[in-house]
Amino acid sequence: MTINILLTQPVPAPIDARLRDSYTVHRLYEAVDQDTFLDQVGHSIRGVVTGGAKGLSNTLMNRLPALEVIAISGIGTDAVDLAHAARRGIQVTTTPGVLTDDVADMGMGLLIMALRDLGTGDRIVREGQWGTVIQPLARKVTGIELGIVGLGRVGHAIARRAQAFDMKVSYTDLHEQPQSGYRFVPDLIELARRSDVLMLAASADQGRAIITSEVLEALGAQGYLINVARGKLVDEPALIAALSNGTIAGAGLDVFADEPRVPDALRSMDNVVLQPHRASATEQTRLAMGEIVLANLEACFAGSPLPTAVAC
Ligand code: 8YV
């Protein structure tokens, strides 16, 4: 009997084809009326494939009584209630390792774009204003003090890249990692105070905003915030206020509190660089993530240990 899988968002075409080879695929994102759709297929779904940011709400999980596995194409588990899944005996998997480099690359890209004001330069050339509009001098990138919030896989990859730019790297995390060789600053406000750029690479499993108005004040008028982690880590109204009144100099954001909605205030500011949550969105990485999703599904339905299960 065929196994029914629910997709909450599209996956790359080759992965989609492989899913269709092995399973009956149902697409929540194409359903016009999701409620009726779930009434029809919900009872038969044994596996869900979803994204890190999208996850799976408890309301949705509860509509899937036969669910055995939630395969997250991503590393964030903050949008799945792991305790609820565990109580139901549902296994949860992620795709660790393969998106690390892309996320770090995006972090560095946002940093350079924000400090060097590449967006304005691009616009001046495109709009034929070279020679008429004088663009203010930008901020030097090489040699800055970089504060990394969360020294996990992504944080380490950012730090490695930062060293090639002669940046002085400090970090905060729940615990010191003496073997890393980077300066540990336990207090986030202190880290912000000594950083030119604060880069968020932490998990958001605790679901609370750690970048508060106090942290932004400590970062200061010459400071920048870069976020490639989760929007919910930032008090977004406080960030908007800090950007508009000069409390900090600028920001580079790939993630937001209520995606895909981005506050108008952020969209209208010249000192902010915005991306639509695309840190891992390269063909190579999304295919690698898809392979891990496929391997987890296969193991689950073969009754084998799952390659990258999350401890619930
Ligand atoms: C993924 C993410 O690209 O890994 C995560 O948790 O948020 C993203 O970087 C996303 O899950 C893809 O759907």
Side-chain angles (χ1 to χ4, degrees):
M1 205 175 65
T2 175
I3 294 171
N4 289 284
I5 298 291
L6 183 71
L7 279 187
T8 69
Q9 60 185 35
V11 293
I15 303 299
D16 198 289
R18 301 253 304 279
L19 281 170
R20 279 183 278 120
D21 282 347
S22 305
Y23 310 105
T24 301
V25 176
H26 303 275
R27 299 171 197 278
L28 186 62
Y29 59 93
E30 282 181 355
V32 181
D33 177 351
Q34 293 198 351
D35 210 41
T36 308
F37 173 79
L38 288 167
D39 278 345
Q40 286 162 356
V41 304
H43 65 280
S44 69
I45 299 296
R46 293 175 60 192
V48 165
V49 177
T50 190
K54 182 153 285 202
L56 191 71
S57 69
N58 283 353
T59 311
L60 197 42
M61 223 189 290
N62 293 342
R63 302 280 300 268
L64 313 174
L67 188 60
E68 294 167 47
V69 61
I70 302 169
I72 297 173
S73 183
I75 48 173
T77 53
D78 52 295
V80 173
D81 183 340
L82 296 179
H84 189 66
R87 278 192 294 275
R88 290 262 319 266
I90 298 166
Q91 304 198 73
V92 180
T93 66
T94 56
T95 60
V98 293
L99 47 69
T100 308
D101 285 328
D102 274 8
V103 180
D105 290 349
M106 176 64 87
M108 296 307 283
L110 287 172
L111 186 159
I112 296 171
M113 192 165 174
L115 272 65
R116 296 299 303 267
D117 197 12
L118 300 187
T120 305
D122 180 84
R123 209 163 49 240
I124 286 174
V125 176
R126 281 175 200 280
E127 294 175 359
Q129 294 175 328
W130 191 357
T132 48
V133 170
I134 308 292
Q135 185 179 2
L137 295 177
R139 170 70 183 272
K140 183 169 177 168
V141 168
T142 295
I144 59 169
E145 291 274 353
L146 177 67
I148 299 176
V149 181
L151 196 64
R153 281 195 179 94
V154 171
H156 274 284
I158 291 166
R160 281 198 303 276
R161 284 156 177 74
Q163 286 187 306
F165 285 84
D166 292 336
M167 295 179 189
K168 294 172 263 313
V169 176
S170 306
Y171 70 98
T172 194
D173 207 320
L174 298 179
H175 306 287
E176 184 172 9
Q177 300 179 40
Q179 76 293 351
S180 73
Y182 308 119
R183 190 196 302 129
F184 177 54
V185 182
D187 180 45
L188 177 54
I189 293 186
E190 178 54 25
L191 181 72
R193 191 169 294 122
R194 58 163 73 209
S195 298
D196 298 311
V197 174
L198 205 56
M199 174 98 68
L200 296 191
S203 91
D205 286 338
Q206 291 174 2
R208 77 191 165 85
I210 55 174
I211 303 301
T212 58
S213 51
E214 291 76 25
V215 174
L216 295 166
E217 268 159 39
L219 186 56
Q222 306 299 319
Y224 289 78
L225 179 76
I226 308 294
N227 192 358
V228 287
R230 281 288 184 269
K232 67 178 83 157
L233 290 171
V234 178
D235 177 345
E236 217 165 58
L239 175 63
I240 291 168
L243 285 163
S244 51
N245 63 23
T247 300
I248 66 169
L253 308 171
D254 183 48
V255 288
F256 303 88
D258 183 25
E259 296 171 5
R261 280 168 287 276
V262 175
D264 287 343
L266 284 178
R267 292 195 287 139
S268 67
M269 288 174 185
D270 283 340
N271 55 345
V272 184
V273 177
L274 304 169
Q275 285 290 303
H277 198 149
R278 275 177 64 81
S280 71
T282 66
E283 207 176 313
Q284 295 71 15
T285 292
R286 286 289 168 84
L287 287 175
M289 292 159 74
E291 291 294 343
I292 298 177
V293 165
L294 290 169
N296 278 299
L297 292 177
E298 191 182 325
C300 176
F301 300 120
S304 309
L306 306 197
T308 55
V310 172
C312 291

